[in-house]
Amino acid sequence: MAFAASTPTHENRVQARFTRLWPEIERRFASLYGQHPRGAEVMDRLKRTLMDAALARPQPLRALDAAREADPDWLQTPGQSAYTFYVDRFAGDLNGVRDKLDYLSDLGVRWLHPLPLLEPRPGDSDGGFAVADYRKVDPKLGTIDDLEALADDLRRRDMGLILDVVCNHTAREHAWAVKARAGDPAYRDYYIVLPDAQSAAGRDQELIDVFPDTAPGSFTYDAEMGGYVWTTFYPFQWDLNYANPAVFAEMLEVLIFLAGKGAQGFRLDSAPFLWKQAGTTCRNLPQTYDIVEAWRAALSIVAPGVVLLAEAIESLEDVIPFFGRAAPGCNLAYNNVVMTALWAALADGDAAIARHCLAVAARKPAQGVWLNYVRCHDDLIWNALAAYAPPADLARWSAAYGRGEGFSRGRAFQTADGGVPSTNGMAASLVGLDAADDIESAAARRLCLLYGVIHALDGWPLIYMGDEIGLGDDETYEQDPLRAGDGRWLHRPLMDWRRAERRRASGSVESGLFTAFARFGRAARALASFGVSGAAAPIDLGARQVLAFQRMGEAGQLLCVANLSAEPVEITLPPAYAEDALDILTDEAAASVVRLESYAQKWLVAR
């Protein structure tokens, strides 16, 4: 007589994951810390931590893990729209965000990606990126219980929460730094201190200055530490010493703690900077990739349904290894180079730079997913295209968007020596949208074009707060002493909820944009039903102003064509689409010769 196999218990699943993944953690750990005197001690601590946390995983989160383990391709499901925002700028506090979930659902959002919300240092905290306590929420935003309640609400709606974890540095006021300044040797080794100004100046020569105007240099003298503390970003942000295995373990325990509160993903802020090594720029070193891969394996034991997002605003060659080399790394990474290339192509009305960067982005490993975006809370960094375009092009794009030499009303931002100024401004400002414009204006069409393209690409599309209603710049930031010194606050406005209500007013630009963004999300989700999958592969249809790319699947294929210019253009479709293609944005059949109006696009599915 045959008996059905018994359902594995939670303990069985945990043990199976541990057996499979612990050797990978050991390998990565040995390569990083095999010679460290505390290596074995920290390894023992990690083993206990992982088993205890995995066994104690809350029941609803176990169910989420099990569902995602049963469907390993769930990450590749198209149309997983994400929405990013500062909690206080969007809805006041966490409970205010809970009240806005219907709005986000109407937009088609599947993931919420709030910017830093953990407790920051008092005063200037670089927009929350100087964390004083990883286990508490910023008091003005709520409590850790409020965060857990938001995560629960989202999970019930089949939505997920991605938290920002600032893993490269802490605030000077963090408990670790307080203990270090008090002379505790264990915690002094959590940070990196050079003994004198000459040593700091020597290392500075090797590094790329992130904020040369507002925070020049990468070291800050601190009398209590007896030397120059490594501070890549601002003087109050102290870089952690990942050559110390205790730091690796501490940050992993932070991730595990927040995963237990319902977070379904983590944005690893400033990930390229984790490992420091003399004689290098200390960016994208092999040890950094080892750290990320070890964290991924550890989280896959405790919370396999949780995703990692690499915040790596680097060349594609440096970003792609974050997806993992011999072992899985981050599940997602920002598609920064393609984003910047889209703005560049739009400025020129020429798709060449976008085609080139799409071809490079397609080299990512199959398990990795791009997070495709148009704008974010940071500046638009033209130097990110330095490997793909000559300096004259970078300078032209920088001038077009930051100095009023094109349709844009953006503002120039600082840059490292040898680079061109970055650009600040909301997407509405960068496309030249005015309050009096309607949805058929050139500016509104430009904004829809960009968001349509990122929804058609493989990966997850990311909407920056307010772009869906054409929200403009915050010109008042210069009157706020805590914000005036950082031009990026130009594109971190308060959400205008009165304007958001106009999304219900037929004929308004807010209605047109919101409707278009929601339509892009629906169309992206529908791609699965047409059998469309795979990476976006650019093709040249003979018109310089047309960006075209295909996505091929076993059962279907998509051709996206987008006119980057203000003038109409006609193109001849490839044979596969010439006879029986459907534009799934309009449900209209396509002829073999297609006319694309000003800044228009079509998503053509071969039937």
Side-chain angles (χ1 to χ4, degrees):
M1 178 181 294
F3 293 93
S6 60
T7 303
T9 65
H10 176 62
E11 291 75 12
N12 293 150
R13 293 192 186 95
V14 168
Q15 187 59 57
R17 294 198 298 259
F18 190 90
T19 300
R20 175 168 52 90
L21 293 165
W22 180 251
E24 189 60 47
I25 298 170
E26 283 186 315
R27 280 192 290 273
R28 291 289 173 271
F29 200 87
S31 70
L32 291 164
Y33 307 116
Q35 304 304 313
H36 196 281
R38 293 191 61 196
E41 168 200 338
V42 174
M43 275 294 282
D44 287 342
R45 165 183 163 185
L46 279 178
K47 185 176 291 189
R48 294 191 301 272
T49 296
L50 294 180
M51 284 300 290
D52 290 347
L55 292 171
R57 184 94 162 129
Q59 182 60 47
L61 303 180
R62 297 181 194 179
L64 178 74
D65 293 337
R68 290 180 176 168
E69 281 192 292
D71 180 16
D73 295 329
W74 73 271
L75 276 161
Q76 310 290 342
T77 303
Q80 298 201 54
S81 303
Y83 191 87
T84 185
F85 56 94
Y86 277 105
V87 169
D88 57 337
R89 313 298 284 172
F90 178 64
D93 59 19
L94 289 169
N95 287 325
V97 175
R98 296 173 71 191
D99 291 338
K100 300 299 184 183
L101 295 185
D102 286 345
Y103 172 87
L104 296 169
S105 292
D106 290 346
L107 187 58
V109 170
R110 294 293 182 267
W111 291 85
L112 263 64
H113 170 15
L115 290 155
L117 53 73
L118 302 177
E119 185 171 330
R121 72 187 296 267
D124 185 3
S125 65
D126 184 26
F129 286 96
V131 177
D133 194 327
Y134 292 102
R135 288 176 168 78
K136 292 181 181 177
V137 167
D138 184 343
K140 74 174 184 286
L141 305 180
T143 67
I144 199 72
D145 291 337
D146 295 332
L147 180 67
E148 193 166 12
L150 172 61
D152 288 344
D153 285 353
L154 291 170
R155 193 172 58 254
R156 283 190 284 269
R157 290 172 176 254
D158 197 25
M159 298 166 73
L161 178 66
I162 296 177
L163 291 183
D164 210 308
V165 174
V166 185
C167 51
N168 176 70
H169 47 266
T170 72
R172 183 179 184 273
E173 292 77 9
H174 192 285
W176 302 337
V178 170
K179 292 175 182 177
R181 287 189 282 119
D184 186 323
Y187 287 95
R188 287 178 72 85
D189 195 34
Y190 275 40
Y191 302 96
I192 304 168
V193 183
L194 299 188
D196 52 51
Q198 184 177 358
S199 300
R203 294 302 293 273
D204 258 331
Q205 294 300 309
E206 301 171 350
L207 306 175
I208 300 169
D209 210 345
V210 178
F211 296 130
D213 295 345
T214 53
S218 295
F219 297 90
T220 301
Y221 180 74
D222 189 277
E224 292 175 286
M225 294 294 283
Y228 288 77
V229 179
W230 201 308
T231 55
T232 295
F233 297 94
Y234 285 100
F236 50 76
Q237 292 167 308
W238 287 15
D239 284 43
L240 288 162
N241 176 21
Y242 276 92
N244 179 355
V247 171
F248 169 94
E250 289 270 22
M251 197 55 65
L252 175 57
E253 288 171 8
V254 166
L255 299 175
I256 290 170
F257 169 80
L258 294 170
K261 298 300 179 183
Q264 294 184 32
F266 299 110
R267 172 187 181 273
L268 301 180
D269 177 69
S270 304
F273 297 85
L274 296 185
W275 196 267
K276 318 298 197 227
Q277 182 173 308
T280 75
T281 62
C282 299
R283 292 166 80 155
N284 309 300
L285 295 175
Q287 295 91 335
T288 291
Y289 302 128
D290 283 338
I291 290 168
V292 171
E293 290 169 13
W295 279 345
R296 175 67 273 170
L299 280 170
S300 294
I301 292 173
V302 176
V306 166
V307 299
L308 292 180
L309 164 63
E311 193 262 336
I313 310 305
E314 308 285 333
S315 72
L316 284 164
E317 288 79 3
D318 288 327
V319 173
I320 287 174
F322 275 102
F323 289 121
R325 300 158 303 167
C330 286
N331 308 91
L332 300 117
Y334 287 90
N335 203 352
N336 171 70
V337 168
V338 167
M339 177 274 293
T340 313
L342 288 173
W343 283 106
L346 186 65
D348 288 348
D350 188 329
I353 182 63
R355 280 199 300 269
H356 179 57
C357 291
L358 279 174
V360 180
R363 300 173 191 165
K364 69 162 181 59
Q367 80 272 10
V369 176
W370 286 121
L371 188 68
N372 299 306
Y373 65 119
V374 170
R375 282 300 288 119
C376 70
H377 68 290
D378 270 333
D379 47 314
L380 187 55
I381 303 173
W382 301 109
N383 297 328
L385 296 180
Y388 316 106
D393 286 351
L394 304 184
R396 184 178 67 256
W397 298 326
S398 173
Y401 285 103
R403 295 179 183 170
E405 297 183 14
F407 46 72
S408 168
R409 295 194 307 277
R411 295 186 190 175
F413 193 47
Q414 58 193 301
T415 185
D417 287 344
V420 301
S422 298
T423 301
N424 289 331
M426 290 289 287
S429 176
L430 298 189
V431 298
L433 190 69
D434 289 318
D437 283 345
D438 61 26
I439 192 61
E440 292 303 322
S441 69
R445 292 169 72 86
R446 284 191 283 263
L447 186 55
C448 287
L449 174 74
L450 292 171
Y451 268 97
V453 168
I454 68 159
H455 278 78
L457 294 171
D458 55 296
W460 296 8
L462 177 70
I463 299 170
Y464 186 56
M465 184 205 82
D467 284 357
E468 75 279 5
I469 57 169
L471 189 62
D473 294 336
D474 179 7
E475 302 285 353
T476 70
Y477 83 94
E478 292 173 313
Q479 281 78 58
D480 182 347
L482 289 179
R483 297 188 294 148
D486 188 339
R488 294 174 299 171
W489 283 104
L490 181 69
H491 50 260
R492 300 172 184 176
L494 289 169
M495 182 65 171
D496 188 337
W497 286 106
R498 285 184 298 181
R499 201 169 159 185
E501 282 301 310
R502 287 177 52 78
R503 74 190 187 278
R504 308 181 193 279
S506 178
S508 69
V509 70
E510 293 85 359
S511 174
L513 290 171
F514 193 93
T515 300
F517 282 34
R519 181 173 68 248
F520 295 145
R522 288 193 301 272
R525 288 186 285 280
L527 290 176
S529 65
F530 288 102
V532 172
S533 60
I539 59 174
D540 188 346
L541 296 180
R544 65 186 291 272
Q545 65 268 58
V546 174
L547 175 64
F549 57 86
Q550 292 188 97
R551 295 181 57 197
M552 312 295 288
E554 292 183 2
Q557 57 194 61
L558 167 74
L559 172 67
C560 177
V561 289
N563 180 7
L564 300 171
S565 75
E567 302 300 324
V569 60
E570 287 190 348
I571 54 172
T572 300
L573 296 180
Y577 303 90
E579 295 183 2
D580 191 22
L582 175 71
D583 180 359
I584 63 173
L585 293 179
T586 62
D587 289 329
E588 296 176 352
S592 58
V593 177
V594 168
R595 178 181 171 88
L596 288 172
E597 300 297 337
S598 164
Y599 301 116
Q601 63 188 298
K602 292 182 181 292
W603 292 17
L604 303 173
V605 173
R607 294 182 294 183

